Amino acid sequence: MKRIKVELPGHVYPVWIGNGILSRAADLMARAGFDSPPLVVSNRRVLKLHGDVLLSSLERTFGRVAVIRIPDGEEYKNHATLQRIYEGLFRTRADRHSWIAAFGGGVIGDVAGFAAATFLRGIRYVGIPTTLLAQVDSSVGGKVGINAPQGKNLIGAFHQPSAVLSDTAVLGTLAKREIASGLYEIIKCAAIRSTSLLSYLERRLDQVLDLEPAAVSHAVAEAVRIKAEVVARDEREGEERMILNFGHTVGHALETATAYRRFTHGEAVAWGMIAAAAISCARGNLTIEEGERLLSLIERVGRLPDLKGLASKDVWAALQRDKKFRSGDIRMVLLPGLGNTEIVRGLEPRYMRRFLSGFLSFGEG
Amino acid sequence: MKRIKVELPGHVYPVWIGNGILSRAADLMARAGFDSPPLVVSNRRVLKLHGDVLLSSLERTFGRVAVIRIPDGEEYKNHATLQRIYEGLFRTRADRHSWIAAFGGGVIGDVAGFAAATFLRGIRYVGIPTTLLAQVDSSVGGKVGINAPQGKNLIGAFHQPSAVLSDTAVLGTLAKREIASGLYEIIKCAAIRSTSLLSYLERRLDQVLDLEPAAVSHAVAEAVRIKAEVVARDEREGEERMILNFGHTVGHALETATAYRRFTHGEAVAWGMIAAAAISCARGNLTIEEGERLLSLIERVGRLPDLKGLASKDVWAALQRDKKFRSGDIRMVLLPGLGNTEIVRGLEPRYMRRFLSGFLSFGEG
């Protein structure tokens, strides 16, 4: 088992990563100072697949554990689901010493984490992410929240977990596409901060894709370590943390322009990284060889849903609606070299539009 | 004008207190670094009485200001009102640089502050409290939130304002009972931390009640200073901050047992302080003379709604439902002397029940 310490000003917490550690959940949590049962927030699918392992561990140590089931899917990351969690907390007479275990993918982490952030002005929660994407992305960083009818993640807070437990064994029940989505985020971490992780992925990508325990644990742990380092320097949304948005500018616009139906988040980010690398090369910062190294790693993960039929004016419009762009200043994370980032401000809108239309037609090829 | 600096770890903000400073709101805010118009959250009554002064100042400096009107009254401190503020923020295309001016009493500060805490994971807000209670109590400390059907203030966050502007001139439109309610909180601050403020109030109570500018400003500023000092040492809800709950244990139970209809918050706290002082005297910590000094100051403010007809079993039940009591450990803030506090744990439930029934019948006298 690997243990990574996330050190924020005033709050330190462990991320445990390992194969089969779900069955030791209660021991780890007891060691982290928990002495009462959590309220487990999860969904039917996750509970059916992995509920017994978690709950029997928790109940052996803490006694009876209450479970709040919420519906599965991004469309339920909303106020009604949040309300359901509050009601479960009230029903079980939760007090300010109570804690939530958010057991599932990113949606569960976000909404259960936001419930924890706002119930009695904040109670503790532990993340037990069950998708590769959640293990490397949303479980570290403390961004929690829900969607509004006006857009995704518009209502939320920063609320750090008290611990995160990532069992790589549970990834075996994921679809290939979900594994790939998580891998793109791992590649993103490597691209912005670690050529050694990049080399590792180049050497061991097949083993990671096959979920070979040592390879997956290493890749997850390195990505978490990189994300934790960045977040430690900038808990909120400053310049430093913005580097985690590498690939997200165009990626997010692609998601919005397709109403979140064509791409998973990771796939959209993968396209976004390709776009950002292309812009970095075009500006003469990244060498063509480096750009191709990143591109070929992304291509080895699997076939991305293509860009066919996407109108550049829709993607452009989506880009401009992005909450990071509202103030009109186009900023983007680019690569001056692999493992390094620069935040470029004031990108010329005409250049961006022209680039986008070229990029989208490239997707047609 | 007085200026008090609230210094929290990682966040410092000013509280301006003065007579007629509402007309200088925009200058002060520009000086505090704001360079765009706020979204003003207020209610019809406050806007009718003081809206022109604030809005003309803001519009002179910042241009057109959007206003979100929310309904007036504690019963609207709920999710529907929060939603209305979010919608106003979306309608005006607010982004993460936008800010809210919470212009009104405690309800407006709490719900608008909570909207600011959760919109786009947190935007800035400035408090412009218009009641004496809000000026000395809820405007400092960062507690924001809404009520749930299960109880008051159960959903919320800690989100510090970027500045607070307290114009004592607006207090002239308050009912006598609202002035008294605020004064009880000022007396609370004196009782727990400052015999010099206590002496000042003993000497100048009539001028404060008559809203004589220098006297009110001094009393408000001293109370804010005390609260800011306590909050600076303990931003969240630890032991230190708990001393601000002096008078709130029994006070809150009285409010709950009467469904918040008989007492204002300040009046309930006043009764709660009398109870806590009586227990302090009974335990031999506070001298009878000190207890009477506090009691007579409270009595000079005005006649408290009496305790007649309140069944001690209802108050006892309310006490046990208190969120601070859920874990069964009865803690209470007592006075080992005026200007000093001690937190007493594990009070004997039988003693408390007996005390309560005596205390309530004392109210009948």
Side-chain angles (χ1 to χ4, degrees):
Chain A
M1 185 183 75
K2 291 169 196 296
R3 184 178 184 284
I4 293 162
K5 215 156 91 181
V6 182
E7 297 189 82
L8 303 170
H11 184 66
V12 178
Y13 67 90
V15 179
W16 301 294
I17 298 159
N19 192 57
I21 62 174
L22 194 60
S23 62
R24 293 164 52 200
D27 296 345
L28 291 165
M29 287 170 197
R31 214 189 293 164
F34 290 96
D35 58 3
S36 63
L39 190 86
V40 173
V41 177
S42 191
N43 65 36
R44 191 173 302 271
R45 188 169 168 272
V46 169
L47 287 168
K48 198 176 147 201
L49 290 168
H50 312 293
D52 282 351
V53 179
L54 177 66
L55 294 176
S56 66
S57 164
L58 292 175
E59 297 199 329
R60 255 194 326 273
T61 300
F62 297 119
R64 207 174 128 52
V65 171
V67 176
I68 300 179
R69 264 182 203 76
I70 62 173
D72 191 4
E74 179 77 32
E75 68 271 35
Y76 297 106
K77 194 171 130 181
N78 58 21
H79 179 71
T81 301
L82 180 65
Q83 199 58 44
R84 228 158 120 163
I85 300 175
Y86 289 149
E87 275 156 23
L89 289 162
F90 286 124
R91 209 171 39 239
T92 56
R93 299 180 64 79
D95 64 24
R96 55 183 66 187
H97 306 293
S98 303
W99 57 290
I100 287 176
F103 184 40
V107 170
I108 284 178
D110 284 6
V111 65
F114 188 48
T118 51
F119 184 74
L120 304 180
R121 294 199 193 92
I123 62 172
R124 294 167 302 166
Y125 78 108
V126 167
I128 310 180
T130 58
T131 65
L132 184 56
L133 184 61
Q135 289 186 355
V136 297
D137 190 24
S138 56
S139 70
V140 179
K143 284 189 182 181
V144 294
I146 55 174
N147 301 330
Q150 291 82 358
K152 290 180 66 149
N153 295 319
L154 295 180
I155 305 299
F158 288 90
H159 188 56
Q160 304 296 337
S162 295
V164 175
L165 185 155
S166 288
D167 185 346
T168 52
V170 305
L171 306 177
T173 57
L174 297 177
K176 281 243 174 304
R177 198 176 169 190
E178 283 181 285
I179 300 289
S181 292
L183 246 167
Y184 298 126
E185 282 285 341
I186 296 175
I187 293 174
K188 181 200 78 178
C189 291
I192 62 174
R193 281 289 268 259
S194 169
T195 49
S196 80
L197 177 57
L198 206 65
S199 310
Y200 181 86
L201 292 171
E202 288 172 328
R203 288 194 314 275
R204 309 287 305 272
L205 190 75
D206 297 337
Q207 287 91 327
V208 177
L209 282 169
D210 288 345
L211 300 177
E212 200 223 82
V216 183
S217 287
H218 180 79
V220 170
E222 285 307 298
V224 165
R225 199 186 309 277
I226 290 165
K227 186 155 187 203
E229 268 172 33
V230 174
V231 174
R233 290 198 216 175
D234 174 19
E235 190 176 348
R236 303 270 164 148
E237 207 75 19
E239 287 273 306
E240 176 80 31
R241 186 161 178 163
M242 203 190 146
I243 71 169
L244 295 172
N245 287 331
F246 175 61
H248 282 59
T249 304
V250 171
H252 193 223
L254 291 174
E255 285 180 290
T256 311
T258 54
Y260 294 89
R261 293 213 185 89
R262 189 185 298 193
F263 309 100
T264 64
H265 178 65
E267 290 164 351
V269 168
W271 273 123
M273 288 194 284
I274 295 171
I279 296 173
S280 302
C281 287
R283 289 170 61 96
N285 302 23
L286 198 65
T287 66
I288 302 292
E289 291 69 32
E290 288 177 305
E292 290 192 336
R293 205 179 143 193
L294 181 60
L295 182 65
S296 80
L297 185 60
I298 291 172
E299 285 179 340
R300 277 177 63 200
V301 172
R303 196 178 148 70
L304 287 171
D306 63 32
L307 303 175
K308 210 177 291 175
L310 269 170
S312 84
K313 80 164 176 12
D314 295 342
V315 179
W316 177 246
L319 201 60
Q320 291 187 300
R321 276 202 306 275
D322 190 316
K323 65 182 175 225
K324 283 149 199 123
F325 277 77
R326 287 207 185 152
S327 32
D329 172 25
I330 306 189
R331 284 179 304 173
M332 205 169 159
V333 183
L334 297 179
L335 304 178
L338 289 175
N340 263 311
T341 50
E342 61 174 339
I343 294 169
V344 176
R345 295 172 159 282
L347 279 169
E348 183 54 53
R350 280 182 51 200
Y351 168 77
M352 279 300 289
R353 282 210 67 160
R354 204 151 16 88
F355 169 80
L356 264 187
S357 80
F359 180 70
L360 293 172
S361 68
F362 158 80
E364 313 238 326
Chain B
M1 185 183 74
K2 292 170 196 291
R3 185 178 184 283
I4 293 163
K5 214 157 91 181
V6 182
E7 297 190 82
L8 302 171
H11 183 67
V12 178
Y13 67 91
V15 179
W16 301 294
I17 298 158
N19 192 57
I21 62 174
L22 194 59
S23 61
R24 293 165 53 201
D27 297 345
L28 291 166
M29 286 169 199
R31 213 189 295 164
F34 290 96
D35 57 4
S36 64
L39 190 86
V40 173
V41 177
S42 191
N43 65 35
R44 190 173 303 270
R45 189 170 167 270
V46 169
L47 286 167
K48 197 175 148 203
L49 290 168
H50 313 293
D52 283 350
V53 179
L54 177 67
L55 293 176
S56 66
S57 165
L58 292 175
E59 298 199 330
R60 257 194 326 271
T61 300
F62 297 117
R64 209 176 126 52
V65 171
V67 176
I68 300 178
R69 264 181 203 75
I70 62 173
D72 191 4
E74 179 77 32
E75 67 271 36
Y76 298 106
K77 193 171 130 182
N78 58 21
H79 179 72
T81 301
L82 180 66
Q83 198 59 43
R84 228 158 122 162
I85 301 175
Y86 289 150
E87 276 155 23
L89 289 162
F90 287 124
R91 209 171 40 238
T92 56
R93 299 179 63 78
D95 64 22
R96 54 184 68 186
H97 306 293
S98 303
W99 57 289
I100 288 175
F103 184 39
V107 170
I108 284 178
D110 284 6
V111 65
F114 188 48
T118 52
F119 184 74
L120 303 180
R121 292 199 195 93
I123 61 173
R124 293 167 302 168
Y125 78 108
V126 167
I128 309 180
T130 57
T131 65
L132 184 57
L133 184 60
Q135 290 186 354
V136 297
D137 189 24
S138 55
S139 70
V140 179
K143 283 189 182 182
V144 294
I146 55 174
N147 301 330
Q150 291 82 359
K152 290 180 66 149
N153 296 318
L154 295 180
I155 305 300
F158 288 90
H159 188 56
Q160 302 296 337
S162 294
V164 175
L165 185 154
S166 289
D167 185 347
T168 52
V170 306
L171 306 177
T173 57
L174 297 176
K176 281 243 174 306
R177 197 174 171 191
E178 285 181 284
I179 300 287
S181 292
L183 247 167
Y184 298 126
E185 281 285 341
I186 297 174
I187 293 173
K188 181 200 78 179
C189 291
I192 62 174
R193 281 289 268 259
S194 169
T195 48
S196 80
L197 177 56
L198 205 66
S199 309
Y200 181 86
L201 292 170
E202 287 171 330
R203 289 195 312 277
R204 309 286 306 272
L205 191 74
D206 297 338
Q207 288 92 324
V208 177
L209 281 168
D210 288 345
L211 300 177
E212 198 223 87
V216 182
S217 288
H218 180 80
V220 170
E222 286 306 298
V224 166
R225 200 187 307 278
I226 290 165
K227 186 155 187 202
E229 269 172 33
V230 173
V231 174
R233 291 199 215 175
D234 174 21
E235 191 176 348
R236 303 270 162 147
E237 205 77 19
E239 288 272 307
E240 176 80 30
R241 186 161 178 163
M242 203 191 146
I243 71 170
L244 295 172
N245 287 331
F246 175 62
H248 282 60
T249 305
V250 170
H252 192 223
L254 291 174
E255 284 179 290
T256 311
T258 53
Y260 293 90
R261 292 211 186 92
R262 188 184 299 192
F263 310 100
T264 66
H265 177 64
E267 289 164 351
V269 168
W271 274 124
M273 289 194 284
I274 296 171
I279 296 174
S280 302
C281 287
R283 289 169 61 94
N285 302 22
L286 199 66
T287 66
I288 301 292
E289 291 69 30
E290 288 177 304
E292 289 191 336
R293 206 177 142 194
L294 182 60
L295 182 66
S296 80
L297 185 59
I298 291 170
E299 285 178 340
R300 276 178 62 200
V301 173
R303 194 178 150 71
L304 288 170
D306 64 32
L307 302 174
K308 208 178 292 175
L310 268 170
S312 84
K313 81 165 173 11
D314 295 341
V315 178
W316 176 245
L319 200 61
Q320 290 187 299
R321 275 201 306 275
D322 190 316
K323 65 181 176 226
K324 283 150 199 123
F325 277 79
R326 286 207 185 150
S327 31
D329 172 25
I330 306 187
R331 285 180 303 175
M332 205 169 160
V333 183
L334 297 179
L335 303 178
L338 288 175
N340 263 311
T341 50
E342 62 174 337
I343 294 170
V344 176
R345 296 174 159 281
L347 279 169
E348 183 54 56
R350 280 182 50 201
Y351 168 76
M352 280 299 289
R353 281 210 68 161
R354 204 151 13 89
F355 169 79
L356 265 186
S357 80
F359 180 69
L360 293 171
S361 68
F362 157 79
E364 314 238 327

